Amino acid sequence: MQRRNALSVLRATCARPLAAVAAVLALAALPTTAPPAAAQSPGAPSAAAAGFTVYTNERGAHPPGHPQYGATKATVVYDVFAYTCDAVTCYSNGSTTLPSQATYEAKVKEYMGASQFGGEPTAPVVLDFEAIELTQVPTGQAATNAYNLWRQLLQWTRNAAPQAPICHYGYDWLTRNQNLIKQLHVDNLLNCFAPRAYFYDGQSLAAWDSDFDAAIARDRAMAPSHPIYPYVNPYSFNSQAYVPGNTWAHMFAKVKASADGVVIWESTANNANACAWVSQNSYEMGVITGTGSTGPFTVSATLPSGNCVVPRGTTTTVPVTLTNTSAATTPATQMQSFNSTPGFSGSWKYWNVPSLAPGATWSTELPMAVAATQTTSTALLRIRTGISDTRWAVIVQ
């Protein structure tokens, strides 16, 4: 998980995912009850179970800004100490001298801090120490040594993050050294699961489902009361091609049905190829948070870019069309002020929306200004009238 190009693919499976849907279709504002056609899933995602939380690991310049959609910042701690274990002992960067408690705890707090992930104090802290992850360590004394090291590190992690559930990121569909992993959960040193659930180049949805279901089954059998937060990403590994919108919908439907939450790991949205994912993700988050598009109007907003990308530091005139998709004539209403998203502002060319019969349309324009200081690489915008509220997700460059 630490370096995208270095992720180990455990096995190649069947068919490559479909290419990303056309960006020009993905830019449309999200309708009330279903994602846009370009990102339509085989079936609309079901409402999330009570308590389902989307967490985000994001940092650096221009992150996607998942919290604006309703996600909660969480922390991943990477293995900067390069831990390994063999049948003799455990090592850090090849040395038998391991980091002190103070050094280790300071690093955990650094990753939790604003300079890194800025995770909430009660959000999961996930240890990404893959070389000593117990399904990856040979059975026997090497596994025993790794297990003992884990016990120490988990105690120190609890000191550094006293309110957080602590998980270790892992290959949970595998079963090597499962008795040792279970003991860490029995002793409550680990109190959540963080299985990797990425989509791989050449992998079919059925193959992804198989790994995911095996991971959930293993974890539920091991510690039924401990929550499961799978790790997902909009990339297909290792190509870093964005998965189609319907693949993202499929993944979200699975995690909502089977897990207690999900972690979106270090995603980016820095080009038009991400449009379908950005649109679908906005829809999924609207379902989860109960803040989806509402009202009788379907809204289309057409950016001059021909996709969902809008530039910083400029004013872009956006044609906007409202369509009455309800079965009743709508009353006359007004466009609402467009200034609820940080860094975005604009004043509608035409404000007064007339009464519209079913199927009728009405158009206006929005000279939309994007501040050069706007920070995230995506933005959730709301096109509101007095009788409707439509989500519109864009990429900002």
Side-chain angles (χ1 to χ4, degrees):
M1 184 167 73
Q2 297 179 43
R3 293 177 295 276
R4 294 187 181 97
N5 290 334
L7 283 170
S8 59
V9 181
L10 295 187
R11 56 182 177 272
T13 48
C14 306
R16 174 176 294 274
L18 296 174
V21 293
V24 66
L25 295 177
L27 65 91
L30 297 175
T32 304
T33 57
Q40 182 72 54
S41 62
S46 58
F52 185 91
T53 303
V54 176
Y55 295 102
T56 178
N57 292 157
E58 58 184 69
R59 56 181 176 169
H62 302 306
H66 289 294
Q68 69 188 304
Y69 300 90
T72 299
K73 286 188 175 183
T75 299
V76 56
V77 179
Y78 292 133
D79 188 11
V80 296
F81 303 115
Y83 289 117
T84 57
C85 296
D86 60 22
V88 177
T89 189
C90 293
Y91 312 85
S92 173
N93 289 301
S95 171
T96 56
T97 301
L98 303 184
S100 67
Q101 178 177 352
T103 298
Y104 177 87
E105 292 183 11
K107 184 57 67 175
V108 173
K109 291 177 181 178
E110 177 187 336
Y111 275 115
M112 294 180 72
S115 67
Q116 292 279 353
F117 292 104
E120 296 292 331
T122 57
V125 171
V126 179
L127 306 183
D128 180 18
F129 299 169
E130 294 181 50
I132 59 169
E133 204 276 321
L134 286 165
T135 62
Q136 307 304 297
V137 178
T139 57
Q141 190 59 45
T144 299
N145 290 340
Y147 168 79
N148 290 332
L149 176 59
W150 272 109
R151 294 190 68 88
Q152 182 66 82
L153 297 179
L154 291 169
Q155 291 168 15
W156 291 352
T157 304
R158 172 58 59 220
N159 292 338
Q163 302 177 68
I166 299 171
C167 328
H168 78 250
Y169 169 80
Y171 306 76
D172 294 26
W173 62 88
L174 303 177
T175 57
R176 181 187 292 170
N177 298 312
Q178 184 165 321
N179 61 320
L180 299 179
I181 299 171
K182 181 176 182 178
Q183 192 60 49
L184 294 174
H185 284 273
V186 169
D187 293 341
N188 216 39
L189 295 170
L190 284 171
N191 38 47
C192 56
F193 295 93
R196 57 187 294 154
Y198 301 127
F199 199 82
Y200 295 112
D201 294 332
Q203 188 174 29
S204 67
L205 288 176
W208 184 88
D209 287 352
S210 179
D211 281 350
F212 180 84
D213 290 342
I216 296 296
R218 189 207 74 157
D219 294 348
R220 291 290 184 217
M222 188 177 295
S225 66
H226 287 179
I228 303 173
Y229 305 122
Y231 262 68
V232 298
N233 189 279
Y235 292 126
S236 176
F237 292 103
N238 284 339
S239 69
Q240 298 190 38
Y242 288 96
V243 299
N246 57 359
T247 297
W248 194 247
H250 179 92
M251 294 167 75
F252 256 67
K254 288 288 287 186
V255 296
K256 288 191 296 182
S258 303
D260 304 280
V262 68
V263 185
I264 303 176
W265 173 68
E266 295 224 52
S267 59
T268 62
N270 51 20
N271 62 69
N273 292 330
C275 286
W277 166 67
V278 169
S279 180
Q280 185 70 41
N281 187 68
S282 177
Y283 170 74
E284 300 293 344
M285 293 302 299
V287 172
I288 289 169
T289 60
T291 58
S293 299
T294 58
F297 296 134
T298 294
V299 180
S300 63
T302 308
L303 288 170
S305 61
N307 49 51
C308 72
V309 177
V310 61
R312 289 185 181 85
T314 63
T315 297
T316 302
T317 297
V318 184
V320 174
T321 298
L322 279 63
T323 301
N324 178 9
T325 56
S326 73
T329 297
T330 58
T333 186
Q334 283 190 325
M335 304 300 294
Q336 304 297 304
S337 297
F338 191 85
N339 57 3
S340 60
T341 300
F344 285 75
S345 61
S347 181
W348 296 100
K349 183 176 181 179
Y350 307 112
W351 288 79
N352 294 317
V353 183
S355 174
L356 294 177
T361 64
W362 176 83
S363 296
T364 184
E365 291 181 355
L366 176 67
M368 183 173 66
V370 186
T373 55
Q374 194 275 345
T375 56
T376 61
S377 65
T378 80
L380 175 60
L381 310 175
R382 310 301 289 261
I383 299 178
R384 295 182 171 95
T385 70
I387 57 175
S388 64
D389 179 358
T390 300
R391 298 166 70 92
W392 180 31
V394 298
I395 293 175
V396 189
Q397 290 184 330

